[in-house]
Amino acid sequence: MSQDNDKHDAGADGSGPRPAEDGGPQAKEATAGPPADGGKQDGPPAAAAAANEAVEALERRVPNLRKTGGVYVPPFKLARMMQDLQDQASPEYQRLTWEALKKSINGIVNKINTANIKSLLAEVFRENLVRGRGLFCRSLMKSQLASPSFSPVYSALVAVVNTKFPELGELLLHRLCLQFMRSYKRNDKPVCTAAARFLAHLINQGVAHEVLALEILILMLERPSGDSVEMACEFVKEVGAFLQDVAPQGLHSVFERFRAVLHEGDIEKRSQFVIEGLFAVRKAGFEASGFKAVAPELDLVDAEDQITHELSLDDNHDPQVGLDVFKVDPEYEQHEREYKAISREILGEESEDEEKGEGEEGTEEEDTEEAEENARKGQEAAAIEDATQTNLVNLRRTIYLTIMSSLDFEEAGHKLMKIGIQPGQEIEMVTMVIECCSQERTYKRFYGFLAQRF
């Protein structure tokens, strides 16, 4: 028993030989030794044995490779280690690529700003955002918490990525809503203010619906305190210009609540002055006071291309924290090839085979350009004029369905403004509003307010 204890103690402090399951010398002797019956040897093939030796050599150079957040490995050494591993499906190679992906995403997020955001978008899409969507959201939230003034820049980046990967924008919103609710319940003002500011700019960019902004304001002003009133005022300054355009009635209700809190006088003088300053900003105009919804240099996505997520604070928000942790992917090579194809499609790049074919087909393209131009001229000459007014009927149907499906006149007006009526078709809008109103049994104020809106 004493000898066994001595062996156990020797292995525990690291001075003795490692156990067989850790890949130490004993493991080599157990696997490389001759078979017990002295006959056939059922060991692994030579290729597998060479791969195992390479992995063991790699683990000896980086002892804590299997641990999260291991020692720092210089980039040149990391590249050399990745070359040593020939099997790209091995867990060790996947972990190395995971660490490289994490460093690359953190580097891009840390150096992005208003001046270089357009040039860095290509680098962002070259990284595997499907595999590293958890890392991307985590890096954004940490950087924004450290520098809340960069919230408009990070929101613009998320707005662009959200058009191609909506699940990434939705994951970020779930995490931010969860962080906001937790910090609000814990009275953690810095974290709560940063999360609210990030959500405000995501709402300005159209990534989140404006109803989320109204829910946040209702929550803050339900039981007003000094901190909650100040946070609500700052939130309104960030998102007020956007709400003024899309939900003026909701913004009016929020300011009525501010007015009631101010008249009650239950909060301290400092908070009362903050509310009065907010009313002054509203009177002068949010954009005139320097609180624009989206800066021109950060307006990178068209409204019709943006995908808006309708989330609520009361939803069951799943942060999917498992996406932040490395996991072995059995189909790693296939997923990497699929994302490279997606990345080339987004960036407009062509594969290597297509680039080689360009040189061979260059002369053919020159010959076909003239034929295409002639065909285009022929099509323009033989343009068919539509006398059935199909487009006009479709426009009237769209206007009618939009009016009938709207809850109030503000929503109807907002949706009708986005239809994109061509010059000369404005009379169709007027005609359809009058016809819809004439179909009602009694007059509804809805149509009067809608007409006033235009």
Side-chain angles (χ1 to χ4, degrees):
M1 291 295 291
S2 62
Q3 296 177 356
D4 295 340
N5 293 334
D6 294 340
K7 293 179 180 179
H8 178 72
D9 296 337
D13 60 4
S15 60
R18 291 187 295 172
E21 60 182 6
D22 291 338
Q26 292 181 355
K28 293 182 181 179
E29 295 175 1
T31 57
D37 56 357
K40 299 179 181 180
Q41 186 171 356
D42 298 330
N52 292 335
E53 292 179 0
V55 171
E56 291 174 2
L58 179 64
E59 292 181 352
R60 285 196 298 270
R61 283 191 284 177
V62 187
N64 51 355
L65 182 63
R66 298 180 182 274
K67 299 178 182 179
T68 304
V71 296
Y72 171 73
V73 181
F76 74 93
K77 190 174 182 181
L78 183 63
R80 188 186 307 167
M81 291 161 54
M82 293 177 67
Q83 292 178 357
D84 294 342
L85 286 175
Q86 301 297 330
D87 185 11
Q88 297 186 2
S90 62
E92 288 74 15
Y93 182 85
Q94 292 186 28
R95 176 173 286 277
L96 288 176
T97 56
W98 175 266
E99 295 295 332
L101 177 63
K102 182 192 297 185
K103 291 180 181 179
S104 180
I105 290 176
N106 290 337
I108 293 174
V109 172
N110 288 335
K111 67 182 179 181
I112 197 168
N113 54 47
T114 305
N116 63 4
I117 182 171
K118 293 182 180 180
S119 60
L120 289 179
L121 287 175
E123 296 185 23
V124 172
F125 285 112
R126 287 193 183 98
E127 304 297 333
N128 194 337
L129 296 180
V130 176
R131 184 189 185 198
R133 58 186 183 275
L135 298 176
F136 184 74
C137 295
R138 181 182 177 184
S139 179
L140 279 174
M141 293 177 65
K142 290 179 65 177
S143 299
Q144 190 271 340
L145 182 61
S147 302
S149 60
F150 279 81
S151 299
V153 181
Y154 297 142
S155 300
L157 173 62
V158 175
V160 177
V161 175
N162 184 67
T163 58
K164 306 300 180 182
F165 303 100
E167 65 276 5
L168 199 148
E170 185 178 6
L171 175 62
L172 179 63
L173 288 175
H174 279 298
R175 292 190 177 186
L176 284 173
C177 290
L178 191 62
Q179 185 184 53
F180 171 78
M181 293 299 295
R182 286 178 177 176
S183 58
Y184 186 80
K185 292 178 181 178
R186 296 172 182 171
N187 294 326
D188 191 351
K189 186 177 179 181
V191 177
C192 187
T193 304
R197 189 171 185 179
F198 204 173
L199 286 171
H201 287 285
L202 289 175
I203 294 170
N204 291 339
Q205 290 284 353
V207 179
H209 200 267
E210 60 268 15
V211 175
L212 181 61
L214 299 177
E215 289 183 356
I216 292 174
L217 291 171
I218 291 173
L219 177 63
M220 290 180 178
L221 299 177
E222 183 179 5
R223 297 178 181 177
S225 63
D227 291 338
S228 67
V229 169
E230 292 177 12
M231 289 170 54
C233 291
E234 293 298 325
F235 186 80
V236 171
K237 289 179 181 179
E238 299 290 345
V239 79
F242 180 75
L243 292 179
Q244 188 72 43
D245 294 335
V246 300
Q249 190 64 32
L251 185 63
H252 176 72
S253 301
V254 171
F255 274 97
E256 289 299 320
R257 178 55 182 163
F258 275 119
R259 194 186 306 276
V261 171
L262 189 61
H263 289 171
E264 290 172 1
D266 295 336
I267 57 177
E268 56 187 7
K269 291 292 184 181
R270 181 175 182 273
S271 301
Q272 294 180 10
F273 288 139
V274 173
I275 296 177
E276 293 176 358
L278 179 62
F279 275 95
V281 170
R282 182 196 185 190
K283 183 177 181 180
F286 289 99
E287 295 189 358
S289 301
F291 298 100
K292 295 183 178 180
V294 180
E297 58 271 14
L298 297 177
D299 190 6
L300 307 177
V301 181
D302 295 334
E304 57 271 13
D305 296 335
Q306 187 56 266
I307 300 175
T308 304
H309 303 280
E310 297 183 3
L311 299 182
S312 174
L313 292 177
D314 298 330
D315 292 344
N316 185 16
H317 301 288
D318 184 12
Q320 302 182 28
V321 293
L323 297 175
D324 300 347
V325 183
F326 168 73
K327 293 180 182 178
V328 178
D329 185 4
E331 300 178 355
Y332 171 76
E333 297 181 5
Q334 179 182 354
H335 291 163
E336 286 293 319
R337 287 194 298 269
E338 292 175 354
Y339 185 81
K340 287 181 180 178
I342 295 173
S343 176
R344 286 195 296 267
E345 182 180 356
I346 294 174
L347 300 176
E349 298 176 352
E350 297 181 353
S351 60
E352 296 179 357
D353 298 337
E354 293 177 352
E355 291 178 356
K356 293 179 180 178
E358 282 183 357
E360 300 175 357
E361 299 175 359
T363 56
E364 297 180 2
E365 291 181 356
E366 294 177 358
D367 297 336
T368 56
E369 282 181 1
E370 296 181 1
E372 291 178 357
E373 187 176 354
N374 295 333
R376 193 182 304 113
K377 291 180 180 179
Q379 291 177 358
E380 292 176 356
I384 299 174
E385 183 178 356
D386 184 13
T388 61
Q389 296 184 346
T390 304
N391 295 334
L392 188 61
V393 173
N394 292 335
L395 176 62
R396 291 177 178 177
R397 183 186 297 111
T398 303
I399 296 174
Y400 175 77
L401 294 176
T402 302
I403 294 175
M404 292 294 107
S405 63
S406 300
L407 296 177
D408 55 4
F409 72 94
E410 293 180 354
E411 181 181 354
H414 181 62
K415 290 181 178 179
L416 291 174
M417 291 294 291
K418 289 187 176 182
I419 291 179
I421 298 177
Q422 301 297 327
Q425 296 180 342
E426 294 84 358
I427 189 63
E428 300 299 331
M429 178 80 72
V430 178
T431 303
M432 288 307 300
V433 172
I434 295 175
E435 291 183 0
C436 291
C437 181
S438 62
Q439 290 180 1
E440 303 290 343
R441 293 185 179 181
T442 59
Y443 173 72
K444 290 186 177 181
R445 299 171 59 189
F446 171 88
Y447 298 100
F449 288 136
L450 180 59
Q452 185 181 7
R453 179 73 183 270
F454 287 100

